[in-house]
Amino acid sequence: MYKVVITLFCCLVFTAAAQAQVLTGADRTEGYLPLLRGKRVALLVNQTAMIGHTHLVDSLLKLHVHIQKIFSPEHGFRGNADAGEKVGNSTDPSTGLTIVSLYGRHRKADAADLQDVDILLFDIQDVGTRFYTYISSLQEFMESAAENNKPLIVLDRPNPNGHYVDGPVLEDTSLRSFVGMQAIPIVHGMTVGEYAYMLNGEKWLKNGVECKLTVIPCKGYDDHTFYQLPVKPSPNLPNMAAIYLYPSTCLFEGTVLSLGRGTDLPFQVFGHPSFPKDLYKFTPRSTPGAKEPPLKNVTCYGYNLTGTPEAVRAEMDNKLQLKWLLQAYDLYPEKENFFTPFFNKLAGNTTLQRQIKQGLSEAEIRDTWEPALTQFKTIRKKYLLYAE
């Protein structure tokens, strides 16, 4: 018992020390302030763009940087809108700055948005999956920068799921959408800075345009660093357990099950009213960030996967876990109604759904992800900034 306690204590001390040594791109102001001096600046940011305990916008204003406007991604500038909720333009009450929403009818900054801007800056905390839409916003922001001849600075941040690469690669171009714009696996293992270099280098931006890109990298970080996110990246990823589980449990978004939106454990539980009544019980409610969750006010039965961040990260075993999805499909009585049309967009193919229906094992399914996964890893190596 004492050995376990000592080991755990040492682990916590080590991870706390590692956390303290990490400097994000935003922290490294000496690398980008000279590029902003005398320029009219537009930022694509949300609530995660922090320098210590101060928002990047407030920090830059105090440093007399001329901020012309703010662009906001999914969930809005303050990060409190529901997933998929369309957010309109607004004014930031604390600074009086114009906020232009890039999630809704107007998803891409155009010439009118940028005519009074000299330079663009991107700073948003990502979680390292293809279907987390911040990298889609990054791509379209890079395209806007290139098309309007504006330089772009990306302030890099650690990827909490950067320690592995896994999942099917999106190869079916008909399934490309805002939850999957490029031929990358579900877990890509890159920071936004590395991914920006890949978008440029592989000519993946629309019409092959190239963005005038500067990445301010993190310091004291590599892709195996345990990094505790200081601010939740979106309303339904409230803790590190949810962030580690998200690459696997997000696939439930393409089924008729609840994955805990509207509870205290989003992306950490899954279930359905038809499952056995002796399983873990939860009831989704209308909550901030999940106003109309699936199966609202209906008691669901299923599984609670949460735990300490260290335990959940170990449970993931450096790979995308299909076991929970296969288990749920096996339990669900009306299998023909289990999947929704959204599932194939999340998976990036029509194959995974068919394989599950055919009863293939997780090992058999994983085998089919090659050689596309190996090919992606080869391309990825060219753009890595933090690999050991």
Side-chain angles (χ1 to χ4, degrees):
M1 176 64 181
Y2 292 113
K3 184 176 180 180
V4 172
V5 172
I6 291 169
T7 302
L8 178 59
F9 175 76
C10 291
C11 178
L12 292 173
V13 169
F14 172 77
T15 55
Q19 176 90 359
Q21 293 168 3
V22 173
L23 292 177
T24 68
D27 293 324
R28 305 182 67 195
T29 53
E30 74 285 354
Y32 60 94
L33 276 182
L35 304 176
L36 304 180
R37 294 294 186 197
K39 304 288 179 60
R40 297 169 298 176
V41 182
L43 300 88
L44 176 50
V45 290
N46 65 4
Q47 78 287 350
T48 65
M50 301 291 288
I51 300 179
H53 298 291
T54 305
H55 196 279
L56 177 66
V57 168
D58 298 318
S59 294
L60 293 182
L61 289 174
K62 289 177 182 176
L63 292 166
H64 308 293
V65 172
H66 179 180
I67 298 178
Q68 188 71 15
K69 65 186 65 174
I70 300 167
F71 293 106
S72 65
E74 183 177 10
H75 305 296
F77 176 53
R78 297 297 177 189
N80 50 17
D82 285 13
E85 180 180 343
K86 306 308 178 188
V87 180
N89 296 346
S90 61
T91 300
D92 180 39
S94 65
T95 63
L97 291 168
T98 297
I99 301 173
V100 179
S101 173
L102 296 183
Y103 190 78
R105 287 180 298 178
H106 183 61
R107 214 176 65 187
K108 192 170 180 178
D110 56 27
D113 293 320
L114 301 180
Q115 64 180 351
D116 56 353
V117 172
D118 300 314
I119 191 167
L120 305 177
L121 187 150
F122 179 99
D123 183 17
I124 297 176
Q125 176 66 61
D126 190 52
V127 298
T129 65
R130 184 182 66 224
F131 36 57
Y132 204 58
T133 61
Y134 297 152
I135 59 170
S136 297
S137 293
L138 170 65
Q139 175 176 332
E140 295 193 341
F141 205 50
M142 290 177 67
E143 290 170 354
S144 295
E147 291 161 2
N148 292 278
N149 196 30
K150 308 291 182 181
L152 170 65
I153 301 170
V154 172
L155 304 183
D156 212 5
R157 291 184 177 270
N159 175 0
N161 286 305
H163 50 287
Y164 69 110
V165 178
D166 203 18
V169 172
L170 194 162
E171 297 180 282
D172 188 338
T173 56
S174 70
L175 292 172
R176 293 195 177 193
S177 70
F178 206 57
V179 294
M181 295 180 71
Q182 296 297 341
I184 63 175
I186 288 178
V187 187
H188 53 71
M190 306 180 80
T191 65
V192 291
E194 292 171 325
Y195 188 65
Y197 278 136
M198 177 181 276
L199 289 171
N200 244 6
E202 296 302 309
K203 306 293 184 184
W204 284 352
L205 300 180
K206 187 177 180 181
N207 298 323
V209 296
E210 188 169 346
C211 172
K212 187 185 296 183
L213 176 67
T214 300
V215 174
I216 307 298
C218 303
K219 188 175 182 180
Y221 167 76
D222 65 50
D223 52 17
H224 290 283
T225 301
F226 175 85
Y227 181 76
Q228 179 86 24
L229 268 58
V231 179
K232 64 181 181 182
S234 55
N236 289 283
L237 290 182
N239 53 47
M240 293 306 297
I243 289 165
Y244 289 142
L245 288 164
Y246 175 77
S248 300
T249 56
C250 187
L251 290 170
F252 283 112
E253 296 265 59
T255 74
V256 295
L257 272 64
S258 167
L259 49 65
R261 289 187 186 272
T263 75
D264 293 335
L265 297 171
F267 292 98
Q268 299 158 82
V269 300
F270 67 89
H272 191 269
S274 68
F275 283 2
K277 303 300 184 284
D278 58 346
L279 297 176
Y280 175 78
K281 183 169 69 173
F282 64 94
T283 304
R285 308 287 188 190
S286 181
T287 60
K291 299 180 186 70
E292 293 295 328
L295 299 171
K296 185 177 77 170
N297 299 328
V298 178
T299 299
C300 298
Y301 305 90
Y303 297 87
N304 182 350
L305 309 176
T306 199
T308 66
E310 294 83 3
V312 172
R313 180 163 161 159
E315 173 70 19
M316 297 304 296
D317 193 26
N318 292 336
K319 57 178 179 280
L320 181 75
Q321 295 289 341
L322 289 177
K323 60 186 177 184
W324 300 308
L325 184 64
L326 297 176
Q327 182 181 29
Y329 181 76
D330 187 57
L331 276 177
Y332 192 70
E334 299 177 7
K335 291 181 172 40
E336 67 278 8
N337 299 322
F338 181 80
F339 295 102
T340 71
F342 191 47
F343 184 85
N344 289 342
K345 287 187 176 181
L346 292 172
N349 59 44
T350 58
T351 308
L352 180 57
Q353 181 177 160
R354 184 169 63 251
Q355 291 169 327
I356 294 171
K357 288 179 176 179
Q358 291 172 343
L360 270 64
S361 69
E362 181 164 357
E364 290 170 324
I365 293 171
R366 296 183 66 83
D367 285 344
T368 66
W369 296 345
E370 302 291 347
L373 195 54
T374 296
Q375 183 181 13
F376 168 79
K377 290 177 181 177
T378 300
I379 296 171
R380 170 181 171 270
K381 283 181 181 178
K382 296 186 288 183
Y383 303 103
L384 297 181
L385 299 172
Y386 312 104
E388 291 181 328

Short mmCIF file of all heavy atoms in Angstrom, two decimals, residues 249-290:
data_model
loop_
_atom_site.label_atom_id
_atom_site.label_comp_id
_atom_site.label_asym_id
_atom_site.label_seq_id
_atom_site.Cartn_x
_atom_site.Cartn_y
_atom_site.Cartn_z
N THR A 249 -15.21 7.96 -27.47
CA THR A 249 -16.65 8.06 -27.15
C THR A 249 -17.39 9.01 -28.08
O THR A 249 -18.62 8.94 -28.18
CB THR A 249 -16.86 8.49 -25.69
OG1 THR A 249 -16.17 9.73 -25.45
CG2 THR A 249 -16.34 7.43 -24.73
N CYS A 250 -16.68 9.89 -28.78
CA CYS A 250 -17.37 10.80 -29.70
C CYS A 250 -18.09 10.05 -30.81
O CYS A 250 -19.05 10.54 -31.39
CB CYS A 250 -16.39 11.81 -30.29
SG CYS A 250 -17.21 13.10 -31.28
N LEU A 251 -17.64 8.83 -31.11
CA LEU A 251 -18.33 8.03 -32.13
C LEU A 251 -19.78 7.75 -31.74
O LEU A 251 -20.63 7.52 -32.61
CB LEU A 251 -17.57 6.73 -32.38
CG LEU A 251 -16.22 6.87 -33.09
CD1 LEU A 251 -15.45 5.57 -33.07
CD2 LEU A 251 -16.43 7.34 -34.54
N PHE A 252 -20.08 7.79 -30.45
CA PHE A 252 -21.48 7.62 -30.02
C PHE A 252 -22.37 8.76 -30.48
O PHE A 252 -23.60 8.63 -30.47
CB PHE A 252 -21.54 7.48 -28.50
CG PHE A 252 -21.13 6.14 -27.98
CD1 PHE A 252 -19.96 5.98 -27.24
CD2 PHE A 252 -21.90 5.01 -28.23
CE1 PHE A 252 -19.58 4.74 -26.76
CE2 PHE A 252 -21.52 3.76 -27.76
CZ PHE A 252 -20.36 3.62 -27.02
N GLU A 253 -21.78 9.89 -30.88
CA GLU A 253 -22.58 10.98 -31.43
C GLU A 253 -23.30 10.56 -32.70
O GLU A 253 -24.28 11.20 -33.10
CB GLU A 253 -21.67 12.18 -31.73
CG GLU A 253 -21.00 12.79 -30.52
CD GLU A 253 -21.77 13.97 -29.95
OE1 GLU A 253 -22.94 13.77 -29.56
OE2 GLU A 253 -21.20 15.06 -29.89
N GLY A 254 -22.80 9.52 -33.36
CA GLY A 254 -23.43 9.02 -34.57
C GLY A 254 -24.31 7.81 -34.32
O GLY A 254 -24.54 7.01 -35.23
N THR A 255 -24.81 7.69 -33.09
CA THR A 255 -25.73 6.60 -32.74
C THR A 255 -26.93 7.18 -32.00
O THR A 255 -27.00 8.39 -31.74
CB THR A 255 -25.05 5.56 -31.83
OG1 THR A 255 -24.90 6.11 -30.50
CG2 THR A 255 -23.68 5.15 -32.35
N VAL A 256 -27.87 6.32 -31.63
CA VAL A 256 -29.07 6.77 -30.90
C VAL A 256 -28.84 6.82 -29.40
O VAL A 256 -29.74 7.15 -28.64
CB VAL A 256 -30.27 5.85 -31.21
CG1 VAL A 256 -30.66 5.95 -32.67
CG2 VAL A 256 -29.97 4.40 -30.82
N LEU A 257 -27.63 6.53 -28.94
CA LEU A 257 -27.33 6.52 -27.51
C LEU A 257 -27.05 7.93 -26.99
O LEU A 257 -26.76 8.85 -27.76
CB LEU A 257 -26.11 5.64 -27.23
CG LEU A 257 -26.39 4.13 -26.97
CD1 LEU A 257 -26.97 3.48 -28.21
CD2 LEU A 257 -25.11 3.44 -26.54
N SER A 258 -27.12 8.06 -25.68
CA SER A 258 -26.62 9.25 -25.00
C SER A 258 -25.18 9.00 -24.58
O SER A 258 -24.84 7.90 -24.13
CB SER A 258 -27.45 9.56 -23.75
OG SER A 258 -26.79 10.52 -22.93
N LEU A 259 -24.33 10.01 -24.75
CA LEU A 259 -22.97 9.89 -24.21
C LEU A 259 -22.75 10.89 -23.08
O LEU A 259 -21.64 11.31 -22.80
CB LEU A 259 -21.91 10.04 -25.30
CG LEU A 259 -21.96 11.18 -26.30
CD1 LEU A 259 -21.77 12.53 -25.65
CD2 LEU A 259 -20.92 10.97 -27.37
N GLY A 260 -23.84 11.24 -22.43
CA GLY A 260 -23.73 12.02 -21.21
C GLY A 260 -23.85 13.52 -21.37
O GLY A 260 -23.68 14.25 -20.39
N ARG A 261 -24.12 14.02 -22.57
CA ARG A 261 -24.42 15.45 -22.67
C ARG A 261 -25.63 15.73 -21.78
O ARG A 261 -26.61 14.98 -21.79
CB ARG A 261 -24.74 15.85 -24.11
CG ARG A 261 -23.54 15.84 -25.05
CD ARG A 261 -23.95 16.43 -26.41
NE ARG A 261 -22.90 16.33 -27.40
CZ ARG A 261 -21.94 17.23 -27.59
NH1 ARG A 261 -21.90 18.30 -26.80
NH2 ARG A 261 -21.04 17.08 -28.53
N GLY A 262 -25.56 16.83 -21.05
CA GLY A 262 -26.65 17.14 -20.13
C GLY A 262 -26.50 16.47 -18.77
O GLY A 262 -27.44 16.46 -17.98
N THR A 263 -25.32 15.91 -18.50
CA THR A 263 -24.99 15.36 -17.18
C THR A 263 -23.67 15.96 -16.73
O THR A 263 -23.05 16.74 -17.45
CB THR A 263 -24.87 13.82 -17.19
OG1 THR A 263 -23.61 13.45 -17.81
CG2 THR A 263 -26.01 13.17 -17.96
N ASP A 264 -23.21 15.56 -15.55
CA ASP A 264 -21.90 16.02 -15.07
C ASP A 264 -20.74 15.26 -15.72
O ASP A 264 -19.58 15.60 -15.48
CB ASP A 264 -21.80 15.84 -13.56
CG ASP A 264 -22.75 16.76 -12.80
OD1 ASP A 264 -23.11 17.82 -13.35
OD2 ASP A 264 -23.13 16.41 -11.67
N LEU A 265 -21.06 14.25 -16.55
CA LEU A 265 -20.01 13.39 -17.11
C LEU A 265 -20.12 13.24 -18.63
O LEU A 265 -20.13 12.13 -19.16
CB LEU A 265 -20.07 12.00 -16.46
CG LEU A 265 -19.81 11.95 -14.95
CD1 LEU A 265 -20.12 10.57 -14.40
CD2 LEU A 265 -18.35 12.33 -14.65
N PRO A 266 -20.19 14.36 -19.37
CA PRO A 266 -20.26 14.22 -20.83
C PRO A 266 -19.02 13.55 -21.40
O PRO A 266 -17.90 13.79 -20.94
CB PRO A 266 -20.37 15.68 -21.31
CG PRO A 266 -19.78 16.49 -20.20
CD PRO A 266 -20.12 15.76 -18.94
N PHE A 267 -19.24 12.67 -22.39
CA PHE A 267 -18.19 11.89 -23.04
C PHE A 267 -17.51 10.90 -22.11
O PHE A 267 -16.55 10.25 -22.50
CB PHE A 267 -17.14 12.79 -23.72
CG PHE A 267 -17.70 13.55 -24.89
CD1 PHE A 267 -18.12 14.86 -24.76
CD2 PHE A 267 -17.83 12.93 -26.13
CE1 PHE A 267 -18.66 15.55 -25.84
CE2 PHE A 267 -18.36 13.61 -27.21
CZ PHE A 267 -18.78 14.93 -27.06
N GLN A 268 -18.04 10.75 -20.90
CA GLN A 268 -17.47 9.81 -19.93
C GLN A 268 -18.45 8.69 -19.58
O GLN A 268 -18.08 7.75 -18.89
CB GLN A 268 -17.06 10.56 -18.66
CG GLN A 268 -16.01 11.63 -18.91
CD GLN A 268 -15.99 12.69 -17.83
OE1 GLN A 268 -15.39 12.50 -16.77
NE2 GLN A 268 -16.65 13.82 -18.07
N VAL A 269 -19.69 8.83 -20.03
CA VAL A 269 -20.69 7.78 -19.83
C VAL A 269 -21.39 7.54 -21.17
O VAL A 269 -21.37 8.39 -22.05
CB VAL A 269 -21.73 8.16 -18.75
CG1 VAL A 269 -21.06 8.39 -17.41
CG2 VAL A 269 -22.53 9.39 -19.17
N PHE A 270 -22.00 6.38 -21.30
CA PHE A 270 -22.86 6.13 -22.46
C PHE A 270 -23.95 5.17 -22.04
O PHE A 270 -23.78 4.36 -21.13
CB PHE A 270 -22.07 5.58 -23.66
CG PHE A 270 -21.49 4.21 -23.48
CD1 PHE A 270 -22.22 3.07 -23.80
CD2 PHE A 270 -20.20 4.04 -23.00
CE1 PHE A 270 -21.68 1.80 -23.65
CE2 PHE A 270 -19.64 2.79 -22.85
CZ PHE A 270 -20.38 1.65 -23.17
N GLY A 271 -25.11 5.30 -22.69
CA GLY A 271 -26.21 4.43 -22.33
C GLY A 271 -27.47 4.72 -23.12
O GLY A 271 -27.52 5.64 -23.95
N HIS A 272 -28.50 3.93 -22.81
CA HIS A 272 -29.78 4.04 -23.52
C HIS A 272 -30.88 3.48 -22.63
O HIS A 272 -30.62 2.58 -21.81
CB HIS A 272 -29.72 3.24 -24.84
CG HIS A 272 -30.87 3.50 -25.74
ND1 HIS A 272 -32.03 2.75 -25.71
CD2 HIS A 272 -31.06 4.45 -26.70
CE1 HIS A 272 -32.87 3.21 -26.62
NE2 HIS A 272 -32.31 4.24 -27.24
N PRO A 273 -32.11 3.96 -22.75
CA PRO A 273 -33.21 3.44 -21.92
C PRO A 273 -33.46 1.95 -22.09
O PRO A 273 -33.99 1.30 -21.18
CB PRO A 273 -34.42 4.25 -22.40
CG PRO A 273 -33.85 5.50 -22.98
CD PRO A 273 -32.53 5.11 -23.57
N SER A 274 -33.08 1.39 -23.25
CA SER A 274 -33.37 -0.03 -23.51
C SER A 274 -32.32 -0.97 -22.93
O SER A 274 -32.52 -2.19 -22.93
CB SER A 274 -33.46 -0.26 -25.02
OG SER A 274 -32.19 -0.09 -25.63
N PHE A 275 -31.23 -0.44 -22.40
CA PHE A 275 -30.19 -1.30 -21.85
C PHE A 275 -30.63 -1.88 -20.50
O PHE A 275 -31.55 -1.37 -19.86
CB PHE A 275 -28.89 -0.51 -21.68
CG PHE A 275 -28.13 -0.28 -22.97
CD1 PHE A 275 -28.61 -0.71 -24.19
CD2 PHE A 275 -26.90 0.38 -22.96
CE1 PHE A 275 -27.92 -0.50 -25.36
CE2 PHE A 275 -26.19 0.59 -24.12
CZ PHE A 275 -26.71 0.15 -25.33
N PRO A 276 -29.98 -2.96 -20.05
CA PRO A 276 -30.37 -3.60 -18.78
C PRO A 276 -30.41 -2.61 -17.61
O PRO A 276 -29.53 -1.76 -17.47
CB PRO A 276 -29.29 -4.66 -18.58
CG PRO A 276 -28.84 -5.01 -19.96
CD PRO A 276 -28.90 -3.72 -20.73
N LYS A 277 -31.44 -2.75 -16.79
CA LYS A 277 -31.70 -1.77 -15.73
C LYS A 277 -30.73 -1.89 -14.55
O LYS A 277 -30.75 -1.03 -13.66
CB LYS A 277 -33.14 -1.93 -15.23
CG LYS A 277 -34.21 -1.79 -16.31
CD LYS A 277 -34.15 -0.42 -16.97
CE LYS A 277 -35.27 -0.22 -17.98
NZ LYS A 277 -35.05 -0.93 -19.25
N ASP A 278 -29.89 -2.90 -14.52
CA ASP A 278 -28.93 -3.03 -13.42
C ASP A 278 -27.60 -2.35 -13.73
O ASP A 278 -26.66 -2.41 -12.95
CB ASP A 278 -28.69 -4.50 -13.08
CG ASP A 278 -28.17 -5.31 -14.26
OD1 ASP A 278 -28.25 -4.82 -15.41
OD2 ASP A 278 -27.68 -6.43 -14.04
N LEU A 279 -27.52 -1.65 -14.89
CA LEU A 279 -26.30 -0.94 -15.26
C LEU A 279 -26.30 0.46 -14.65
O LEU A 279 -27.26 0.88 -14.00
CB LEU A 279 -26.19 -0.86 -16.78
CG LEU A 279 -26.06 -2.20 -17.53
CD1 LEU A 279 -26.05 -1.97 -19.03
CD2 LEU A 279 -24.78 -2.93 -17.10
N TYR A 280 -25.22 1.19 -14.86
CA TYR A 280 -25.10 2.56 -14.37
C TYR A 280 -26.25 3.41 -14.90
O TYR A 280 -26.60 3.36 -16.09
CB TYR A 280 -23.76 3.15 -14.82
CG TYR A 280 -23.56 4.60 -14.47
CD1 TYR A 280 -23.21 4.99 -13.18
CD2 TYR A 280 -23.73 5.59 -15.44
CE1 TYR A 280 -23.03 6.33 -12.87
CE2 TYR A 280 -23.55 6.93 -15.13
CZ TYR A 280 -23.21 7.29 -13.84
OH TYR A 280 -23.05 8.62 -13.53
N LYS A 281 -26.86 4.21 -14.04
CA LYS A 281 -28.06 4.97 -14.40
C LYS A 281 -27.75 6.47 -14.44
O LYS A 281 -27.08 7.00 -13.56
CB LYS A 281 -29.16 4.69 -13.37
CG LYS A 281 -30.49 5.39 -13.66
CD LYS A 281 -31.61 4.86 -12.77
CE LYS A 281 -31.42 5.26 -11.33
NZ LYS A 281 -32.60 4.91 -10.48
N PHE A 282 -28.25 7.14 -15.46
CA PHE A 282 -28.11 8.60 -15.55
C PHE A 282 -29.27 9.16 -16.38
O PHE A 282 -29.88 8.46 -17.18
CB PHE A 282 -26.77 9.00 -16.16
CG PHE A 282 -26.55 8.56 -17.59
CD1 PHE A 282 -26.85 9.40 -18.65
CD2 PHE A 282 -26.02 7.29 -17.88
CE1 PHE A 282 -26.64 9.01 -19.97
CE2 PHE A 282 -25.80 6.89 -19.19
CZ PHE A 282 -26.12 7.75 -20.24
N THR A 283 -29.55 10.45 -16.18
CA THR A 283 -30.65 11.11 -16.88
C THR A 283 -30.15 12.44 -17.45
O THR A 283 -29.85 13.36 -16.69
CB THR A 283 -31.84 11.37 -15.95
OG1 THR A 283 -32.26 10.14 -15.37
CG2 THR A 283 -33.00 11.99 -16.72
N PRO A 284 -30.06 12.58 -18.76
CA PRO A 284 -29.65 13.86 -19.35
C PRO A 284 -30.69 14.95 -19.07
O PRO A 284 -31.90 14.71 -19.16
CB PRO A 284 -29.57 13.55 -20.85
CG PRO A 284 -29.42 12.06 -20.93
CD PRO A 284 -30.21 11.52 -19.78
N ARG A 285 -30.20 16.13 -18.73
CA ARG A 285 -31.06 17.29 -18.50
C ARG A 285 -30.57 18.45 -19.37
O ARG A 285 -29.45 18.43 -19.86
CB ARG A 285 -31.01 17.72 -17.02
CG ARG A 285 -31.28 16.63 -16.01
CD ARG A 285 -32.72 16.22 -15.96
NE ARG A 285 -32.98 15.30 -14.84
CZ ARG A 285 -34.13 14.63 -14.69
NH1 ARG A 285 -35.11 14.79 -15.57
NH2 ARG A 285 -34.30 13.81 -13.66
N SER A 286 -31.40 19.46 -19.49
CA SER A 286 -30.99 20.68 -20.17
C SER A 286 -30.02 21.43 -19.28
O SER A 286 -30.35 21.79 -18.15
CB SER A 286 -32.20 21.56 -20.49
OG SER A 286 -31.79 22.73 -21.17
N THR A 287 -28.80 21.64 -19.76
CA THR A 287 -27.76 22.32 -18.99
C THR A 287 -27.06 23.34 -19.88
O THR A 287 -27.15 23.25 -21.11
CB THR A 287 -26.72 21.32 -18.46
OG1 THR A 287 -26.11 20.64 -19.58
CG2 THR A 287 -27.35 20.29 -17.54
N PRO A 288 -26.35 24.31 -19.30
CA PRO A 288 -25.56 25.22 -20.12
C PRO A 288 -24.56 24.45 -20.99
O PRO A 288 -23.82 23.61 -20.50
CB PRO A 288 -24.83 26.08 -19.08
CG PRO A 288 -25.70 26.03 -17.87
CD PRO A 288 -26.28 24.64 -17.86
N GLY A 289 -24.59 24.71 -22.29
CA GLY A 289 -23.73 23.98 -23.21
C GLY A 289 -24.35 22.71 -23.74
O GLY A 289 -23.80 22.06 -24.63
N ALA A 290 -25.51 22.32 -23.19
CA ALA A 290 -26.25 21.14 -23.68
C ALA A 290 -27.73 21.39 -23.43
O ALA A 290 -28.37 20.72 -22.62
CB ALA A 290 -25.78 19.87 -22.98
#
